Amino acid sequence: IYWVAVLACLGVMAGSVAAVWLASYLVDATKEDDRFLNLNDVKLAYTTILYAEDPENPGQYIEYHRLRNDTENREWVDLDKIPQDVIDAFIAIGDKDFYNHKGINIKRTIAAAINEYTPIKLFSSSKGAPKLTPQLVKNLPEDTDAEGLGGLFRKLREIFRAWTLEKNYSKDMILEAYLNTLRLSGQLGGIQAGANVYFDKDISEVTLAQAASIAAITNAPTYYSPIANPENNVERRDYILSLMLENEMITQAEYDQAIAEELV
């Protein structure tokens, strides 16, 4: 009993030291995060749109030309201009409890990191771990450590940053930033550019099936590209639609109609 008590005390002491060290490390490693985790001023490359006066309607302006750099095609769209079907599609596949939980699921997120960077498998997958806020964090900073111990510490920094965002910003602000910063195939960034390029529409005009197709891309942009791999995109699109039906985001009739829609 004596040695059990000693070992327990040593374990508590070691855990306390580790916790203090980790907290100190995270505070120091993220001390300059305000420069890229400011959701009131997200600094990314955006497409420049030039307008010209419509010769047939003096005083009215129409789109004349778009200027893009070599790596980015992106247009910011406010959340209130995004259809509910688009929002629901991303929430269904990314974090169905996004508006209900008060922050990231620390246990699940840490377990996913351990699964990825160590031989230990705490869960069969990372299913259930919120993805939207952590993914937004990955979209914003230039934090590129990806393998081994460096990748594990990057994951810990992402957890801390996601927690900071959840504490400092509303769910709507986080969701709006995520939908505008996510990466799609090639040079595409954000859902507006995705709707423009894939469906020749403004995001406000996409159908339910098209909303799910855009949401399907983000998991693996090349593999699920509607252009390069349309059959893969349709398979994942239909899976997202099934999740939306399961979570009562759409009706059976809406689901049936979307499933039957051809990807064009």
Side-chain angles (χ1 to χ4, degrees), residues 148-211:
L149 190 59
L152 178 59
F153 276 98
R154 176 183 59 79
K155 184 66 70 173
L156 291 173
R157 292 192 295 274
E158 288 174 1
I159 293 171
F160 185 76
R161 286 166 172 152
W163 176 79
T164 300
L165 284 182
E166 290 276 359
K167 183 178 67 171
N168 293 334
Y169 295 97
S170 70
K171 293 287 188 178
D172 283 352
M173 289 189 69
I174 291 172
L175 183 60
E176 180 179 305
Y178 169 74
L179 294 174
N180 282 287
T181 61
L182 58 84
R183 297 292 304 185
L184 299 173
S185 304
Q187 300 173 341
L188 297 183
I191 56 171
Q192 182 71 292
N196 293 163
V197 170
Y198 291 123
F199 301 114
D200 194 26
K201 292 180 175 181
D202 186 271
I203 190 63
S204 64
E205 301 171 330
V206 298
T207 66
L208 169 59
Q210 290 167 345

Short mmCIF file of all heavy atoms in Angstrom, two decimals, residues 148-211:
data_model
loop_
_atom_site.label_atom_id
_atom_site.label_comp_id
_atom_site.label_asym_id
_atom_site.label_seq_id
_atom_site.Cartn_x
_atom_site.Cartn_y
_atom_site.Cartn_z
N GLY A 148 5.68 13.33 -37.36
CA GLY A 148 6.39 12.99 -36.14
C GLY A 148 6.01 13.86 -34.97
O GLY A 148 4.88 14.32 -34.83
N LEU A 149 6.99 14.11 -34.11
CA LEU A 149 6.75 14.89 -32.90
C LEU A 149 6.35 16.32 -33.24
O LEU A 149 5.50 16.93 -32.56
CB LEU A 149 8.02 14.89 -32.04
CG LEU A 149 7.88 15.47 -30.62
CD1 LEU A 149 6.83 14.70 -29.82
CD2 LEU A 149 9.23 15.45 -29.90
N GLY A 150 6.95 16.89 -34.30
CA GLY A 150 6.58 18.25 -34.71
C GLY A 150 5.12 18.33 -35.08
O GLY A 150 4.43 19.31 -34.76
N GLY A 151 4.60 17.30 -35.77
CA GLY A 151 3.20 17.28 -36.13
C GLY A 151 2.29 17.17 -34.92
O GLY A 151 1.22 17.77 -34.87
N LEU A 152 2.72 16.39 -33.92
CA LEU A 152 1.94 16.25 -32.69
C LEU A 152 1.84 17.58 -31.96
O LEU A 152 0.76 17.97 -31.50
CB LEU A 152 2.56 15.19 -31.79
CG LEU A 152 1.86 14.97 -30.44
CD1 LEU A 152 0.41 14.55 -30.64
CD2 LEU A 152 2.60 13.91 -29.63
N PHE A 153 2.95 18.31 -31.88
CA PHE A 153 2.91 19.62 -31.20
C PHE A 153 2.10 20.63 -32.01
O PHE A 153 1.44 21.50 -31.44
CB PHE A 153 4.33 20.13 -30.96
CG PHE A 153 4.96 19.58 -29.71
CD1 PHE A 153 5.84 18.49 -29.77
CD2 PHE A 153 4.67 20.10 -28.48
CE1 PHE A 153 6.40 17.96 -28.62
CE2 PHE A 153 5.22 19.60 -27.31
CZ PHE A 153 6.09 18.52 -27.39
N ARG A 154 2.14 20.52 -33.35
CA ARG A 154 1.29 21.39 -34.16
C ARG A 154 -0.18 21.12 -33.85
O ARG A 154 -0.99 22.04 -33.74
CB ARG A 154 1.55 21.16 -35.65
CG ARG A 154 0.61 21.97 -36.56
CD ARG A 154 0.84 21.67 -38.02
NE ARG A 154 0.65 20.28 -38.34
CZ ARG A 154 -0.53 19.70 -38.50
NH1 ARG A 154 -1.64 20.40 -38.34
NH2 ARG A 154 -0.62 18.42 -38.79
N LYS A 155 -0.54 19.83 -33.70
CA LYS A 155 -1.91 19.48 -33.37
C LYS A 155 -2.32 20.07 -32.02
O LYS A 155 -3.45 20.57 -31.86
CB LYS A 155 -2.08 17.96 -33.36
CG LYS A 155 -3.49 17.48 -33.13
CD LYS A 155 -4.41 17.85 -34.28
CE LYS A 155 -4.09 17.06 -35.53
NZ LYS A 155 -5.10 17.31 -36.61
N LEU A 156 -1.41 20.05 -31.06
CA LEU A 156 -1.70 20.64 -29.76
C LEU A 156 -1.90 22.15 -29.88
O LEU A 156 -2.79 22.72 -29.24
CB LEU A 156 -0.56 20.33 -28.78
CG LEU A 156 -0.43 18.86 -28.35
CD1 LEU A 156 0.83 18.67 -27.51
CD2 LEU A 156 -1.66 18.41 -27.57
N ARG A 157 -1.09 22.78 -30.72
CA ARG A 157 -1.26 24.23 -30.93
C ARG A 157 -2.61 24.50 -31.58
O ARG A 157 -3.29 25.49 -31.24
CB ARG A 157 -0.12 24.78 -31.79
CG ARG A 157 1.24 24.76 -31.13
CD ARG A 157 2.27 25.57 -31.88
NE ARG A 157 2.60 25.03 -33.20
CZ ARG A 157 3.51 24.09 -33.42
NH1 ARG A 157 4.19 23.56 -32.40
NH2 ARG A 157 3.76 23.67 -34.65
N GLU A 158 -3.02 23.65 -32.50
CA GLU A 158 -4.31 23.83 -33.16
C GLU A 158 -5.46 23.68 -32.16
O GLU A 158 -6.45 24.43 -32.23
CB GLU A 158 -4.47 22.81 -34.29
CG GLU A 158 -3.59 23.11 -35.50
CD GLU A 158 -3.67 22.00 -36.54
OE1 GLU A 158 -4.43 21.03 -36.31
OE2 GLU A 158 -2.97 22.10 -37.57
N ILE A 159 -5.34 22.73 -31.26
CA ILE A 159 -6.37 22.55 -30.24
C ILE A 159 -6.51 23.82 -29.40
O ILE A 159 -7.62 24.31 -29.15
CB ILE A 159 -6.04 21.35 -29.34
CG1 ILE A 159 -6.14 20.04 -30.13
CG2 ILE A 159 -6.97 21.30 -28.13
CD1 ILE A 159 -5.61 18.83 -29.38
N PHE A 160 -5.38 24.35 -28.96
CA PHE A 160 -5.38 25.56 -28.13
C PHE A 160 -5.94 26.74 -28.91
O PHE A 160 -6.74 27.54 -28.39
CB PHE A 160 -3.96 25.86 -27.65
CG PHE A 160 -3.87 27.01 -26.70
CD1 PHE A 160 -4.26 26.85 -25.37
CD2 PHE A 160 -3.41 28.25 -27.10
CE1 PHE A 160 -4.17 27.91 -24.47
CE2 PHE A 160 -3.32 29.31 -26.22
CZ PHE A 160 -3.71 29.14 -24.90
N ARG A 161 -5.55 26.86 -30.19
CA ARG A 161 -6.05 27.96 -31.01
C ARG A 161 -7.55 27.84 -31.26
O ARG A 161 -8.27 28.85 -31.26
CB ARG A 161 -5.29 28.00 -32.34
CG ARG A 161 -3.86 28.52 -32.19
CD ARG A 161 -3.02 28.25 -33.41
NE ARG A 161 -1.73 28.93 -33.31
CZ ARG A 161 -0.61 28.50 -33.89
NH1 ARG A 161 -0.62 27.38 -34.62
NH2 ARG A 161 0.52 29.17 -33.74
N ALA A 162 -8.01 26.62 -31.49
CA ALA A 162 -9.45 26.41 -31.69
C ALA A 162 -10.23 26.79 -30.44
O ALA A 162 -11.29 27.43 -30.51
CB ALA A 162 -9.72 24.95 -32.07
N TRP A 163 -9.71 26.40 -29.29
CA TRP A 163 -10.35 26.77 -28.02
C TRP A 163 -10.39 28.29 -27.86
O TRP A 163 -11.39 28.86 -27.42
CB TRP A 163 -9.58 26.14 -26.86
CG TRP A 163 -10.10 26.53 -25.51
CD1 TRP A 163 -11.20 26.04 -24.87
CD2 TRP A 163 -9.54 27.53 -24.65
NE1 TRP A 163 -11.36 26.66 -23.66
CE2 TRP A 163 -10.35 27.58 -23.49
CE3 TRP A 163 -8.42 28.37 -24.73
CZ2 TRP A 163 -10.09 28.44 -22.44
CZ3 TRP A 163 -8.16 29.23 -23.68
CH2 TRP A 163 -8.98 29.26 -22.55
N THR A 164 -9.30 28.97 -28.27
CA THR A 164 -9.25 30.43 -28.18
C THR A 164 -10.29 31.07 -29.08
O THR A 164 -10.98 32.03 -28.68
CB THR A 164 -7.84 30.94 -28.57
OG1 THR A 164 -6.88 30.37 -27.67
CG2 THR A 164 -7.77 32.45 -28.48
N LEU A 165 -10.44 30.56 -30.30
CA LEU A 165 -11.45 31.10 -31.21
C LEU A 165 -12.85 30.91 -30.65
O LEU A 165 -13.68 31.82 -30.69
CB LEU A 165 -11.35 30.42 -32.58
CG LEU A 165 -10.21 30.83 -33.50
CD1 LEU A 165 -10.31 30.08 -34.82
CD2 LEU A 165 -10.22 32.33 -33.75
N GLU A 166 -13.13 29.72 -30.12
CA GLU A 166 -14.45 29.45 -29.56
C GLU A 166 -14.75 30.37 -28.38
O GLU A 166 -15.91 30.72 -28.14
CB GLU A 166 -14.55 27.99 -29.13
CG GLU A 166 -14.58 26.98 -30.27
CD GLU A 166 -15.97 26.79 -30.82
OE1 GLU A 166 -16.91 27.42 -30.32
OE2 GLU A 166 -16.12 25.99 -31.76
N LYS A 167 -13.72 30.75 -27.66
CA LYS A 167 -13.90 31.62 -26.49
C LYS A 167 -14.11 33.07 -26.90
O LYS A 167 -14.86 33.81 -26.24
CB LYS A 167 -12.67 31.51 -25.59
CG LYS A 167 -12.77 32.32 -24.29
CD LYS A 167 -11.54 32.12 -23.41
CE LYS A 167 -10.30 32.71 -24.05
NZ LYS A 167 -9.13 32.72 -23.13
N ASN A 168 -13.47 33.50 -28.00
CA ASN A 168 -13.44 34.92 -28.35
C ASN A 168 -14.43 35.35 -29.42
O ASN A 168 -14.68 36.54 -29.59
CB ASN A 168 -12.03 35.32 -28.79
CG ASN A 168 -11.02 35.25 -27.65
OD1 ASN A 168 -11.39 35.37 -26.49
ND2 ASN A 168 -9.77 35.04 -27.98
N TYR A 169 -14.98 34.38 -30.17
CA TYR A 169 -15.85 34.75 -31.28
C TYR A 169 -17.14 33.94 -31.25
O TYR A 169 -17.19 32.84 -30.72
CB TYR A 169 -15.13 34.52 -32.63
CG TYR A 169 -13.93 35.41 -32.82
CD1 TYR A 169 -12.65 34.94 -32.53
CD2 TYR A 169 -14.07 36.71 -33.29
CE1 TYR A 169 -11.54 35.75 -32.70
CE2 TYR A 169 -12.96 37.52 -33.47
CZ TYR A 169 -11.71 37.04 -33.17
OH TYR A 169 -10.61 37.85 -33.33
N SER A 170 -18.17 34.51 -31.89
CA SER A 170 -19.46 33.82 -31.95
C SER A 170 -19.38 32.66 -32.93
O SER A 170 -18.51 32.60 -33.80
CB SER A 170 -20.55 34.79 -32.39
OG SER A 170 -20.37 35.15 -33.76
N LYS A 171 -20.32 31.74 -32.80
CA LYS A 171 -20.39 30.61 -33.72
C LYS A 171 -20.58 31.09 -35.16
O LYS A 171 -20.00 30.53 -36.09
CB LYS A 171 -21.54 29.68 -33.32
CG LYS A 171 -21.35 28.97 -32.00
CD LYS A 171 -20.32 27.86 -32.11
CE LYS A 171 -20.28 27.03 -30.85
NZ LYS A 171 -19.33 25.91 -30.94
N ASP A 172 -21.41 32.11 -35.35
CA ASP A 172 -21.65 32.62 -36.70
C ASP A 172 -20.37 33.17 -37.32
O ASP A 172 -20.11 32.95 -38.52
CB ASP A 172 -22.73 33.70 -36.68
CG ASP A 172 -24.13 33.13 -36.54
OD1 ASP A 172 -24.28 31.89 -36.62
OD2 ASP A 172 -25.08 33.92 -36.37
N MET A 173 -19.57 33.88 -36.55
CA MET A 173 -18.33 34.44 -37.08
C MET A 173 -17.35 33.32 -37.45
O MET A 173 -16.67 33.39 -38.48
CB MET A 173 -17.68 35.39 -36.07
CG MET A 173 -18.41 36.70 -35.90
SD MET A 173 -17.47 37.89 -34.90
CE MET A 173 -16.11 38.28 -36.01
N ILE A 174 -17.28 32.30 -36.61
CA ILE A 174 -16.39 31.16 -36.88
C ILE A 174 -16.85 30.44 -38.14
O ILE A 174 -16.03 30.11 -39.02
CB ILE A 174 -16.35 30.21 -35.68
CG1 ILE A 174 -15.64 30.87 -34.49
CG2 ILE A 174 -15.67 28.89 -36.04
CD1 ILE A 174 -15.73 30.08 -33.20
N LEU A 175 -18.15 30.20 -38.26
CA LEU A 175 -18.66 29.49 -39.43
C LEU A 175 -18.46 30.30 -40.70
O LEU A 175 -18.06 29.76 -41.74
CB LEU A 175 -20.14 29.18 -39.23
CG LEU A 175 -20.80 28.37 -40.34
CD1 LEU A 175 -20.14 27.00 -40.49
CD2 LEU A 175 -22.30 28.20 -40.06
N GLU A 176 -18.72 31.60 -40.65
CA GLU A 176 -18.51 32.45 -41.83
C GLU A 176 -17.05 32.42 -42.27
O GLU A 176 -16.75 32.30 -43.47
CB GLU A 176 -18.94 33.88 -41.52
CG GLU A 176 -18.75 34.84 -42.69
CD GLU A 176 -19.21 36.25 -42.37
OE1 GLU A 176 -20.39 36.42 -41.96
OE2 GLU A 176 -18.41 37.20 -42.54
N ALA A 177 -16.14 32.53 -41.31
CA ALA A 177 -14.72 32.50 -41.65
C ALA A 177 -14.33 31.15 -42.24
O ALA A 177 -13.57 31.07 -43.22
CB ALA A 177 -13.88 32.80 -40.41
N TYR A 178 -14.83 30.07 -41.66
CA TYR A 178 -14.51 28.74 -42.17
C TYR A 178 -14.98 28.57 -43.62
O TYR A 178 -14.21 28.11 -44.48
CB TYR A 178 -15.16 27.67 -41.29
CG TYR A 178 -15.10 26.29 -41.90
CD1 TYR A 178 -13.91 25.58 -41.93
CD2 TYR A 178 -16.23 25.71 -42.49
CE1 TYR A 178 -13.84 24.32 -42.52
CE2 TYR A 178 -16.17 24.46 -43.07
CZ TYR A 178 -14.98 23.76 -43.09
OH TYR A 178 -14.91 22.54 -43.69
N LEU A 179 -16.22 28.94 -43.91
CA LEU A 179 -16.76 28.76 -45.25
C LEU A 179 -16.05 29.61 -46.29
O LEU A 179 -16.06 29.28 -47.48
CB LEU A 179 -18.26 29.09 -45.25
CG LEU A 179 -19.14 28.13 -44.44
CD1 LEU A 179 -20.58 28.64 -44.39
CD2 LEU A 179 -19.10 26.71 -45.00
N ASN A 180 -15.41 30.69 -45.85
CA ASN A 180 -14.70 31.56 -46.78
C ASN A 180 -13.21 31.26 -46.88
O ASN A 180 -12.54 31.75 -47.81
CB ASN A 180 -14.89 33.03 -46.38
CG ASN A 180 -16.26 33.56 -46.78
OD1 ASN A 180 -16.51 33.81 -47.95
ND2 ASN A 180 -17.14 33.72 -45.81
N THR A 181 -12.67 30.48 -45.96
CA THR A 181 -11.24 30.18 -45.99
C THR A 181 -10.92 28.75 -46.37
O THR A 181 -9.76 28.42 -46.63
CB THR A 181 -10.59 30.47 -44.62
OG1 THR A 181 -11.20 29.63 -43.62
CG2 THR A 181 -10.76 31.92 -44.22
N LEU A 182 -11.92 27.88 -46.43
CA LEU A 182 -11.66 26.48 -46.75
C LEU A 182 -11.06 26.36 -48.15
O LEU A 182 -11.27 27.20 -49.03
CB LEU A 182 -12.94 25.65 -46.63
CG LEU A 182 -14.15 26.05 -47.48
CD1 LEU A 182 -14.08 25.46 -48.88
CD2 LEU A 182 -15.43 25.62 -46.79
N ARG A 183 -10.28 25.29 -48.32
CA ARG A 183 -9.63 25.04 -49.60
C ARG A 183 -10.44 24.05 -50.43
O ARG A 183 -10.85 23.00 -49.94
CB ARG A 183 -8.23 24.48 -49.38
CG ARG A 183 -7.29 25.42 -48.65
CD ARG A 183 -6.94 26.63 -49.46
NE ARG A 183 -6.37 26.30 -50.76
CZ ARG A 183 -5.89 27.21 -51.61
NH1 ARG A 183 -5.91 28.49 -51.29
NH2 ARG A 183 -5.39 26.83 -52.77
N LEU A 184 -10.63 24.37 -51.72
CA LEU A 184 -11.24 23.46 -52.67
C LEU A 184 -10.17 23.07 -53.68
O LEU A 184 -9.00 23.30 -53.48
CB LEU A 184 -12.45 24.12 -53.33
CG LEU A 184 -13.58 24.53 -52.36
CD1 LEU A 184 -14.65 25.32 -53.07
CD2 LEU A 184 -14.19 23.30 -51.69
N SER A 185 -10.55 22.47 -54.76
CA SER A 185 -9.57 21.98 -55.72
C SER A 185 -8.77 23.13 -56.35
O SER A 185 -9.29 24.22 -56.58
CB SER A 185 -10.27 21.18 -56.83
OG SER A 185 -11.04 20.14 -56.28
N GLY A 186 -7.50 22.83 -56.64
CA GLY A 186 -6.67 23.79 -57.36
C GLY A 186 -6.53 25.11 -56.66
O GLY A 186 -6.15 25.17 -55.48
N GLN A 187 -6.86 26.19 -57.35
CA GLN A 187 -6.70 27.54 -56.81
C GLN A 187 -7.92 28.03 -56.05
O GLN A 187 -7.92 29.16 -55.56
CB GLN A 187 -6.41 28.52 -57.97
CG GLN A 187 -5.16 28.19 -58.77
CD GLN A 187 -5.01 29.08 -59.99
OE1 GLN A 187 -5.98 29.69 -60.44
NE2 GLN A 187 -3.81 29.16 -60.52
N LEU A 188 -8.94 27.21 -55.95
CA LEU A 188 -10.19 27.67 -55.36
C LEU A 188 -10.13 27.73 -53.85
O LEU A 188 -9.72 26.77 -53.20
CB LEU A 188 -11.34 26.76 -55.79
CG LEU A 188 -11.66 26.70 -57.27
CD1 LEU A 188 -12.86 25.80 -57.51
CD2 LEU A 188 -11.90 28.08 -57.84
N GLY A 189 -10.60 28.85 -53.30
CA GLY A 189 -10.70 29.01 -51.87
C GLY A 189 -12.05 29.60 -51.51
O GLY A 189 -12.45 30.63 -52.06
N GLY A 190 -12.80 28.95 -50.64
CA GLY A 190 -14.08 29.48 -50.20
C GLY A 190 -15.23 29.01 -51.07
O GLY A 190 -15.06 28.66 -52.25
N ILE A 191 -16.42 29.00 -50.50
CA ILE A 191 -17.58 28.44 -51.18
C ILE A 191 -18.07 29.30 -52.35
O ILE A 191 -18.64 28.77 -53.31
CB ILE A 191 -18.74 28.22 -50.19
CG1 ILE A 191 -19.09 29.53 -49.47
CG2 ILE A 191 -18.38 27.15 -49.18
CD1 ILE A 191 -20.35 29.43 -48.64
N GLN A 192 -17.84 30.61 -52.29
CA GLN A 192 -18.30 31.47 -53.39
C GLN A 192 -17.55 31.14 -54.68
O GLN A 192 -18.16 30.97 -55.74
CB GLN A 192 -18.12 32.94 -53.03
CG GLN A 192 -18.60 33.93 -54.08
CD GLN A 192 -20.11 33.97 -54.19
OE1 GLN A 192 -20.74 33.01 -54.64
NE2 GLN A 192 -20.71 35.08 -53.80
N ALA A 193 -16.24 31.04 -54.59
CA ALA A 193 -15.45 30.68 -55.77
C ALA A 193 -15.81 29.28 -56.25
O ALA A 193 -15.85 29.02 -57.46
CB ALA A 193 -13.95 30.76 -55.45
N GLY A 194 -16.11 28.38 -55.31
CA GLY A 194 -16.51 27.04 -55.68
C GLY A 194 -17.80 27.04 -56.48
O GLY A 194 -17.91 26.37 -57.51
N ALA A 195 -18.79 27.79 -56.03
CA ALA A 195 -20.06 27.88 -56.75
C ALA A 195 -19.87 28.52 -58.12
O ALA A 195 -20.46 28.08 -59.12
CB ALA A 195 -21.07 28.67 -55.93
N ASN A 196 -19.03 29.55 -58.19
CA ASN A 196 -18.77 30.23 -59.45
C ASN A 196 -18.14 29.30 -60.47
O ASN A 196 -18.59 29.22 -61.63
CB ASN A 196 -17.83 31.42 -59.24
CG ASN A 196 -18.42 32.54 -58.41
OD1 ASN A 196 -17.70 33.38 -57.90
ND2 ASN A 196 -19.74 32.56 -58.26
N VAL A 197 -17.10 28.58 -60.06
CA VAL A 197 -16.32 27.77 -61.00
C VAL A 197 -17.02 26.46 -61.35
O VAL A 197 -17.08 26.07 -62.52
CB VAL A 197 -14.91 27.49 -60.42
CG1 VAL A 197 -14.16 26.46 -61.27
CG2 VAL A 197 -14.12 28.79 -60.36
N TYR A 198 -17.56 25.76 -60.35
CA TYR A 198 -18.15 24.44 -60.61
C TYR A 198 -19.54 24.52 -61.22
O TYR A 198 -19.91 23.68 -62.04
CB TYR A 198 -18.19 23.62 -59.32
CG TYR A 198 -16.84 23.21 -58.83
CD1 TYR A 198 -16.40 23.54 -57.55
CD2 TYR A 198 -15.97 22.49 -59.65
CE1 TYR A 198 -15.14 23.17 -57.10
CE2 TYR A 198 -14.71 22.11 -59.21
CZ TYR A 198 -14.31 22.45 -57.93
OH TYR A 198 -13.07 22.09 -57.50
N PHE A 199 -20.34 25.53 -60.81
CA PHE A 199 -21.73 25.56 -61.24
C PHE A 199 -22.13 26.86 -61.94
O PHE A 199 -23.29 27.05 -62.27
CB PHE A 199 -22.64 25.30 -60.04
CG PHE A 199 -22.38 23.98 -59.37
CD1 PHE A 199 -21.88 23.92 -58.08
CD2 PHE A 199 -22.59 22.79 -60.05
CE1 PHE A 199 -21.62 22.70 -57.46
CE2 PHE A 199 -22.34 21.56 -59.45
CZ PHE A 199 -21.84 21.52 -58.16
N ASP A 200 -21.16 27.77 -62.14
CA ASP A 200 -21.42 29.04 -62.82
C ASP A 200 -22.56 29.80 -62.16
O ASP A 200 -23.45 30.34 -62.81
CB ASP A 200 -21.73 28.79 -64.30
CG ASP A 200 -21.66 30.07 -65.13
OD1 ASP A 200 -20.92 31.00 -64.72
OD2 ASP A 200 -22.33 30.15 -66.17
N LYS A 201 -22.55 29.79 -60.81
CA LYS A 201 -23.60 30.43 -60.04
C LYS A 201 -23.01 31.21 -58.87
O LYS A 201 -21.90 30.93 -58.44
CB LYS A 201 -24.58 29.39 -59.46
CG LYS A 201 -25.43 28.64 -60.46
CD LYS A 201 -26.32 27.65 -59.72
CE LYS A 201 -27.29 26.94 -60.66
NZ LYS A 201 -28.17 26.00 -59.91
N ASP A 202 -23.79 32.14 -58.36
CA ASP A 202 -23.50 32.70 -57.05
C ASP A 202 -23.88 31.65 -56.02
O ASP A 202 -24.80 30.83 -56.25
CB ASP A 202 -24.33 33.97 -56.85
CG ASP A 202 -23.96 34.69 -55.55
OD1 ASP A 202 -24.58 34.38 -54.51
OD2 ASP A 202 -23.07 35.55 -55.59
N ILE A 203 -23.21 31.64 -54.87
CA ILE A 203 -23.50 30.63 -53.85
C ILE A 203 -24.96 30.70 -53.40
O ILE A 203 -25.54 29.68 -53.01
CB ILE A 203 -22.54 30.78 -52.63
CG1 ILE A 203 -22.66 29.59 -51.70
CG2 ILE A 203 -22.78 32.10 -51.92
CD1 ILE A 203 -22.27 28.28 -52.30
N SER A 204 -25.57 31.87 -53.50
CA SER A 204 -26.97 32.01 -53.08
C SER A 204 -27.93 31.28 -54.01
O SER A 204 -29.10 31.10 -53.66
CB SER A 204 -27.34 33.50 -53.03
OG SER A 204 -27.28 34.08 -54.33
N GLU A 205 -27.45 30.83 -55.18
CA GLU A 205 -28.33 30.22 -56.17
C GLU A 205 -28.18 28.71 -56.29
O GLU A 205 -28.89 28.08 -57.07
CB GLU A 205 -28.05 30.85 -57.55
CG GLU A 205 -28.27 32.36 -57.58
CD GLU A 205 -27.79 32.99 -58.88
OE1 GLU A 205 -26.82 32.44 -59.47
OE2 GLU A 205 -28.37 33.98 -59.31
N VAL A 206 -27.25 28.09 -55.54
CA VAL A 206 -27.01 26.66 -55.72
C VAL A 206 -28.18 25.84 -55.19
O VAL A 206 -28.89 26.24 -54.28
CB VAL A 206 -25.70 26.21 -55.02
CG1 VAL A 206 -24.50 26.92 -55.62
CG2 VAL A 206 -25.77 26.41 -53.51
N THR A 207 -28.36 24.67 -55.80
CA THR A 207 -29.39 23.75 -55.34
C THR A 207 -28.88 22.98 -54.11
O THR A 207 -27.70 23.05 -53.77
CB THR A 207 -29.74 22.74 -56.44
OG1 THR A 207 -28.60 21.90 -56.69
CG2 THR A 207 -30.16 23.45 -57.72
N LEU A 208 -29.78 22.23 -53.50
CA LEU A 208 -29.40 21.40 -52.36
C LEU A 208 -28.31 20.41 -52.76
O LEU A 208 -27.32 20.23 -52.04
CB LEU A 208 -30.63 20.66 -51.83
CG LEU A 208 -30.40 19.55 -50.79
CD1 LEU A 208 -29.69 20.11 -49.56
CD2 LEU A 208 -31.72 18.90 -50.42
N ALA A 209 -28.48 19.75 -53.91
CA ALA A 209 -27.48 18.78 -54.36
C ALA A 209 -26.14 19.44 -54.62
O ALA A 209 -25.08 18.89 -54.29
CB ALA A 209 -27.98 18.07 -55.62
N GLN A 210 -26.15 20.64 -55.21
CA GLN A 210 -24.91 21.35 -55.48
C GLN A 210 -24.23 21.81 -54.19
O GLN A 210 -23.00 21.79 -54.08
CB GLN A 210 -25.18 22.55 -56.39
CG GLN A 210 -25.56 22.12 -57.81
CD GLN A 210 -26.14 23.26 -58.64
OE1 GLN A 210 -26.52 24.31 -58.11
NE2 GLN A 210 -26.21 23.05 -59.94
N ALA A 211 -25.02 22.19 -53.20
CA ALA A 211 -24.46 22.55 -51.89
C ALA A 211 -23.72 21.37 -51.30
O ALA A 211 -22.60 21.50 -50.77
CB ALA A 211 -25.58 23.01 -50.95
#
